[in-house]
Protein backbone atom coordinates (compact mmCIF):
# COMPACT_ATOMS: atom_id res chain seq x y z
CA UNK A 1 0.00 0.00 0.00
CA UNK A 2 1.44 3.36 -1.06
CA UNK A 3 1.59 5.72 1.88
CA UNK A 4 -0.47 8.91 1.83
CA UNK A 5 0.19 12.44 3.03
CA UNK A 6 -2.67 14.78 3.96
CA UNK A 7 -1.86 18.48 3.60
CA UNK A 8 -4.13 21.29 4.79
CA UNK A 9 -4.04 24.72 3.17
CA UNK A 10 -2.63 23.08 0.06
CA UNK A 11 -3.71 25.45 -2.71
CA UNK A 12 -0.67 27.74 -2.53
CA UNK A 13 2.41 28.75 -0.59
CA UNK A 14 3.94 26.35 1.91
CA UNK A 15 1.02 23.93 1.68
CA UNK A 16 1.38 23.56 -2.08
CA UNK A 17 5.13 23.14 -1.70
CA UNK A 18 4.74 20.48 1.00
CA UNK A 19 2.38 18.64 -1.35
CA UNK A 20 4.84 18.91 -4.21
CA UNK A 21 7.86 17.71 -2.25
CA UNK A 22 5.97 14.84 -0.63
CA UNK A 23 4.64 13.77 -4.04
CA UNK A 24 8.22 13.98 -5.29
CA UNK A 25 9.13 11.52 -2.51
CA UNK A 26 6.50 9.11 -3.82
CA UNK A 27 3.62 9.74 -1.41
CA UNK A 28 0.04 9.83 -2.60
CA UNK A 29 -1.36 13.19 -1.51
CA UNK A 30 -4.71 14.43 -0.24
CA UNK A 31 -5.04 18.19 -0.66
CA UNK A 32 -7.48 20.11 1.49
CA UNK A 33 -8.49 23.78 1.55
CA UNK A 34 -11.64 25.79 0.86
CA UNK A 35 -11.20 26.45 -2.88
CA UNK A 36 -12.22 23.30 -4.76
CA UNK A 37 -11.19 24.54 -8.22
CA UNK A 38 -7.68 25.49 -7.13
CA UNK A 39 -7.31 22.20 -5.27
CA UNK A 40 -8.31 20.22 -8.35
CA UNK A 41 -5.87 22.14 -10.54
CA UNK A 42 -3.04 21.50 -8.08
CA UNK A 43 -3.95 17.82 -7.71
CA UNK A 44 -3.99 17.33 -11.47
CA UNK A 45 -0.58 18.92 -11.77
CA UNK A 46 0.95 16.71 -9.08
CA UNK A 47 -0.62 13.51 -10.41
CA UNK A 48 0.66 14.21 -13.91
CA UNK A 49 4.15 15.26 -12.86
CA UNK A 50 4.94 12.68 -10.18
CA UNK A 51 2.69 9.76 -11.15
CA UNK A 52 1.08 9.60 -7.71
CA UNK A 53 -2.54 9.59 -6.65
CA UNK A 54 -3.63 13.12 -5.81
CA UNK A 55 -7.13 13.69 -4.44
CA UNK A 56 -8.92 16.73 -3.07
CA UNK A 57 -11.01 17.31 0.04
CA UNK A 58 -12.55 20.79 0.13
CA UNK A 59 -13.11 21.88 3.74
CA UNK A 60 -13.32 24.99 5.89
CA UNK A 61 -11.25 24.30 9.00
CA UNK A 62 -12.88 27.13 10.93
CA UNK A 63 -16.02 24.93 11.09
CA UNK A 64 -16.75 21.73 13.00
CA UNK A 65 -17.99 20.04 9.83
CA UNK A 66 -14.83 20.89 7.91
CA UNK A 67 -12.53 19.57 10.61
CA UNK A 68 -14.56 16.39 11.02
CA UNK A 69 -14.40 15.68 7.29
CA UNK A 70 -10.61 16.01 7.20
CA UNK A 71 -10.18 14.09 10.48
CA UNK A 72 -12.11 11.18 9.00
CA UNK A 73 -9.64 11.00 6.12
CA UNK A 74 -6.62 11.42 8.39
CA UNK A 75 -7.82 8.46 10.45
CA UNK A 76 -7.51 6.06 7.50
CA UNK A 77 -4.64 3.52 7.81
CA UNK A 78 -2.84 4.62 4.61
CA UNK A 79 -2.08 8.08 6.04
CA UNK A 80 1.58 8.19 7.09
CA UNK A 81 2.08 11.97 7.05
CA UNK A 82 -0.16 14.82 8.20
CA UNK A 83 0.84 18.41 7.45
CA UNK A 84 -1.17 20.95 9.44
CA UNK A 85 -0.41 23.98 7.32
CA UNK A 86 -3.69 25.90 6.96
CA UNK A 87 -3.56 29.35 8.48
CA UNK A 88 -3.78 33.08 7.97
CA UNK A 89 -3.06 36.34 9.75
CA UNK A 90 -5.35 39.18 10.78
CA UNK A 91 -4.60 42.74 9.67
CA UNK A 92 -6.32 44.66 12.45
CA UNK A 93 -5.41 45.05 16.10
CA UNK A 94 -7.03 42.60 18.51
CA UNK A 95 -9.53 45.14 19.88
CA UNK A 96 -10.59 46.14 16.36
CA UNK A 97 -11.54 42.63 15.27
CA UNK A 98 -14.99 41.18 15.98
CA UNK A 99 -14.78 38.42 18.58
CA UNK A 100 -16.03 35.88 16.02
CA UNK A 101 -13.19 36.81 13.66
CA UNK A 102 -10.68 36.08 16.41
CA UNK A 103 -12.46 32.84 17.29
CA UNK A 104 -12.44 31.63 13.66
CA UNK A 105 -8.74 32.49 13.53
CA UNK A 106 -8.07 30.49 16.70
CA UNK A 107 -10.06 27.54 15.38
CA UNK A 108 -7.97 27.33 12.20
CA UNK A 109 -4.61 27.85 13.91
CA UNK A 110 -5.14 25.78 17.09
CA UNK A 111 -8.37 23.79 17.26
CA UNK A 112 -8.01 22.22 13.80
CA UNK A 113 -4.37 21.11 14.29
CA UNK A 114 -5.26 19.72 17.71
CA UNK A 115 -8.20 17.65 16.42
CA UNK A 116 -6.43 16.50 13.25
CA UNK A 117 -3.34 15.55 15.26
CA UNK A 118 -5.57 13.61 17.65
CA UNK A 119 -7.06 11.65 14.75
CA UNK A 120 -3.61 11.10 13.26
CA UNK A 121 -1.97 9.91 16.47
CA UNK A 122 -4.72 7.38 17.17
CA UNK A 123 -4.48 6.01 13.62
CA UNK A 124 -0.68 6.05 13.53
CA UNK A 125 -0.44 4.16 16.82
CA UNK A 126 -2.41 1.39 15.14
CA UNK A 127 -0.32 1.39 11.95
CA UNK A 128 3.00 1.47 13.82
CA UNK A 129 4.11 5.03 13.21
CA UNK A 130 3.86 8.17 11.15
CA UNK A 131 4.80 11.83 10.98
CA UNK A 132 2.90 14.97 11.88
CA UNK A 133 4.23 18.31 10.67
CA UNK A 134 2.69 21.42 12.20
CA UNK A 135 3.50 24.67 10.40
CA UNK A 136 4.13 27.23 13.13
CA UNK A 137 6.21 30.42 12.88
CA UNK A 138 9.11 32.22 14.51
CA UNK A 139 6.33 34.56 15.67
CA UNK A 140 5.57 31.80 18.18
CA UNK A 141 8.78 32.68 20.03
CA UNK A 142 7.87 36.38 20.26
CA UNK A 143 4.88 38.02 22.02
CA UNK A 144 3.09 39.59 19.08
CA UNK A 145 -0.69 39.29 19.20
CA UNK A 146 -3.07 36.38 18.83
CA UNK A 147 -1.30 34.91 15.79
CA UNK A 148 1.89 34.68 17.82
CA UNK A 149 0.03 33.20 20.79
CA UNK A 150 -1.55 30.52 18.60
CA UNK A 151 1.77 29.58 17.03
CA UNK A 152 3.35 29.39 20.49
CA UNK A 153 0.77 26.72 21.34
CA UNK A 154 1.63 24.83 18.15
CA UNK A 155 5.33 24.85 18.99
CA UNK A 156 4.87 23.68 22.57
CA UNK A 157 2.33 21.03 21.64
CA UNK A 158 4.60 19.67 18.89
CA UNK A 159 7.64 19.59 21.16
CA UNK A 160 5.72 17.69 23.84
CA UNK A 161 4.00 15.28 21.43
CA UNK A 162 7.30 14.47 19.74
CA UNK A 163 8.87 13.56 23.07
CA UNK A 164 5.81 11.61 24.18
CA UNK A 165 5.14 9.55 21.04
CA UNK A 166 8.58 9.24 19.48
CA UNK A 167 9.27 5.90 21.13
CA UNK A 168 6.10 4.54 19.50
CA UNK A 169 7.15 5.53 16.01
CA UNK A 170 5.34 8.87 15.71
CA UNK A 171 7.29 12.08 15.21
CA UNK A 172 5.73 15.53 15.56
CA UNK A 173 7.58 18.55 14.23
CA UNK A 174 6.78 22.26 14.41
CA UNK A 175 8.23 24.00 11.35
CA UNK A 176 8.83 27.64 12.24
CA UNK A 177 9.60 29.87 9.24
CA UNK A 178 9.93 33.63 9.23
CA UNK A 179 8.84 35.74 6.28
CA UNK A 180 8.26 33.57 3.20
CA UNK A 181 7.42 34.59 -0.35
CA UNK A 182 3.81 33.29 -0.48
CA UNK A 183 0.26 34.65 -0.73
CA UNK A 184 0.06 34.83 3.08
CA UNK A 185 1.15 38.46 3.34
CA UNK A 186 -0.75 39.58 0.25
CA UNK A 187 -3.98 38.43 1.88
CA UNK A 188 -3.18 40.72 4.82
CA UNK A 189 -2.51 43.65 2.44
CA UNK A 190 0.96 43.88 3.96
CA UNK A 191 3.59 46.03 2.26
CA UNK A 192 6.45 43.56 1.85
CA UNK A 193 8.89 46.36 0.99
CA UNK A 194 8.83 47.45 4.65
CA UNK A 195 11.03 44.47 5.47
CA UNK A 196 14.60 43.98 4.17
CA UNK A 197 15.31 41.35 1.52
CA UNK A 198 17.47 39.25 3.87
CA UNK A 199 14.40 38.48 5.99
CA UNK A 200 12.56 36.71 3.14
CA UNK A 201 12.84 32.99 2.43
CA UNK A 202 11.63 30.88 -0.49
CA UNK A 203 8.96 28.24 0.12
CA UNK A 204 11.13 25.53 -1.46
CA UNK A 205 13.88 26.05 1.10
CA UNK A 206 11.53 26.23 4.09
CA UNK A 207 9.79 22.99 3.14
CA UNK A 208 12.98 21.15 2.20
CA UNK A 209 14.60 21.99 5.55
CA UNK A 210 11.36 21.30 7.41
CA UNK A 211 10.96 17.85 5.86
CA UNK A 212 14.61 17.03 6.53
CA UNK A 213 14.17 17.86 10.22
CA UNK A 214 10.82 16.07 10.43
CA UNK A 215 12.23 12.87 8.95
CA UNK A 216 15.16 13.19 11.36
CA UNK A 217 12.67 13.19 14.22
CA UNK A 218 13.21 16.74 15.47
CA UNK A 219 10.47 18.40 17.51
CA UNK A 220 11.16 21.92 16.22
CA UNK A 221 12.56 23.07 12.90
CA UNK A 222 13.56 26.68 12.27
CA UNK A 223 14.71 27.07 8.65
CA UNK A 224 17.80 29.28 8.14
CA UNK A 225 20.44 30.45 10.57
CA UNK A 226 19.08 34.00 10.67
CA UNK A 227 15.75 32.84 12.04
CA UNK A 228 17.29 30.34 14.44
CA UNK A 229 19.12 33.30 16.02
CA UNK A 230 15.89 35.31 16.16
CA UNK A 231 14.03 32.39 17.73
CA UNK A 232 16.75 31.99 20.36
CA UNK A 233 16.54 35.69 21.22
CA UNK A 234 12.77 35.49 21.44
CA UNK A 235 12.92 32.45 23.72
CA UNK A 236 15.78 33.42 26.00
CA UNK A 237 16.70 37.05 25.33
CA UNK A 238 16.22 40.04 27.65
CA UNK A 239 12.56 41.10 27.77
CA UNK A 240 13.37 44.65 26.68
CA UNK A 241 15.06 43.35 23.53
CA UNK A 242 12.25 40.87 22.85
CA UNK A 243 9.68 43.66 23.22
CA UNK A 244 11.62 45.81 20.77
CA UNK A 245 11.69 42.98 18.20
CA UNK A 246 7.99 42.32 18.71
CA UNK A 247 7.06 45.96 18.33
CA UNK A 248 3.52 46.88 19.12
CA UNK A 249 2.06 43.80 17.42
CA UNK A 250 -1.63 42.98 17.69
Amino acid sequence: MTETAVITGATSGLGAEFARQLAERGYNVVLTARDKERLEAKAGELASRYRVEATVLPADLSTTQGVEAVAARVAQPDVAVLVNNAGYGLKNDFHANPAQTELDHLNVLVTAPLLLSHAAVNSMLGRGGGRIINVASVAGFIPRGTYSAAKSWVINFSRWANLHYNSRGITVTAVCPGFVHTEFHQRMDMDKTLYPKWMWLDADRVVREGLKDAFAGKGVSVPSTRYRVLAAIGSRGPQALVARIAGRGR
Side-chain angles (χ1 to χ4, degrees):
M1 178 175 61
T2 302
E3 293 184 326
T4 298
V6 176
I7 304 99
T8 70
T11 51
S12 64
L14 292 177
E17 186 61 24
F18 269 109
R20 188 192 70 77
Q21 291 193 27
L22 286 165
E24 184 178 48
R25 288 174 176 240
Y27 287 90
N28 290 334
V29 292
V30 176
L31 313 182
T32 180
R34 292 179 298 175
D35 192 324
K36 182 179 179 181
E37 290 186 3
R38 292 186 71 185
L39 284 175
E40 289 177 340
K42 181 62 63 178
E45 174 188 326
L46 294 175
S48 175
R49 183 174 180 181
Y50 297 108
R51 305 301 180 190
V52 297
E53 182 179 327
T55 57
V56 305
L57 179 54
D60 182 349
L61 294 183
S62 69
T63 68
T64 299
Q65 296 86 346
V67 175
E68 287 178 347
V70 179
R73 182 63 184 90
V74 168
Q76 297 303 305
D78 63 312
V79 176
V81 179
L82 166 65
V83 181
N84 283 310
N85 166 76
Y88 59 94
L90 298 175
K91 182 179 180 181
N92 296 326
D93 285 340
F94 173 68
H95 71 275
N97 288 321
Q100 188 61 49
T101 296
E102 289 286 352
L103 184 59
D104 289 345
H105 188 235
L106 185 70
N107 283 337
V108 172
L109 296 186
V110 174
T111 305
L114 182 153
L115 293 175
L116 296 183
S117 294
H118 188 267
V121 166
N122 276 285
S123 176
M124 290 173 181
L125 286 172
R127 74 187 303 276
R131 303 186 190 281
I132 299 172
I133 298 170
N134 295 319
V135 177
S137 169
V138 290
F141 299 102
I142 300 169
R144 190 174 170 82
T146 53
Y147 180 83
S148 169
K151 292 304 186 182
S152 178
W153 181 90
V154 172
I155 293 167
N156 281 283
F157 169 76
S158 301
R159 181 182 284 123
W160 165 79
N162 191 57
L163 291 169
H164 192 71
Y165 292 107
N166 194 282
S167 63
R168 300 178 72 177
I170 300 171
T171 63
V172 185
T173 304
V175 177
C176 307
F179 291 117
V180 186
H181 291 296
T182 67
E183 294 180 6
F184 180 91
H185 300 96
Q186 295 172 11
R187 293 172 181 169
M188 293 177 62
D189 295 323
M190 190 181 98
D191 184 358
K192 294 170 68 173
T193 63
L194 295 175
Y195 299 88
K197 291 183 178 179
W198 65 264
M199 295 187 71
W200 293 91
L201 302 174
D202 292 325
D204 174 272
R205 175 180 180 179
V206 171
V207 171
R208 202 163 295 283
E209 291 190 25
L211 286 176
K212 179 182 178 181
D213 287 342
F215 278 79
K218 295 184 179 181
V220 177
S221 171
V222 183
S224 85
T225 301
R226 73 201 79 164
Y227 279 112
R228 283 192 284 275
V229 171
L230 183 60
I233 293 173
S235 299
R236 299 184 290 275
Q239 288 302 296
L241 177 59
V242 173
R244 191 178 309 161
I245 293 173
R248 292 177 61 191
R250 274 192 298 276

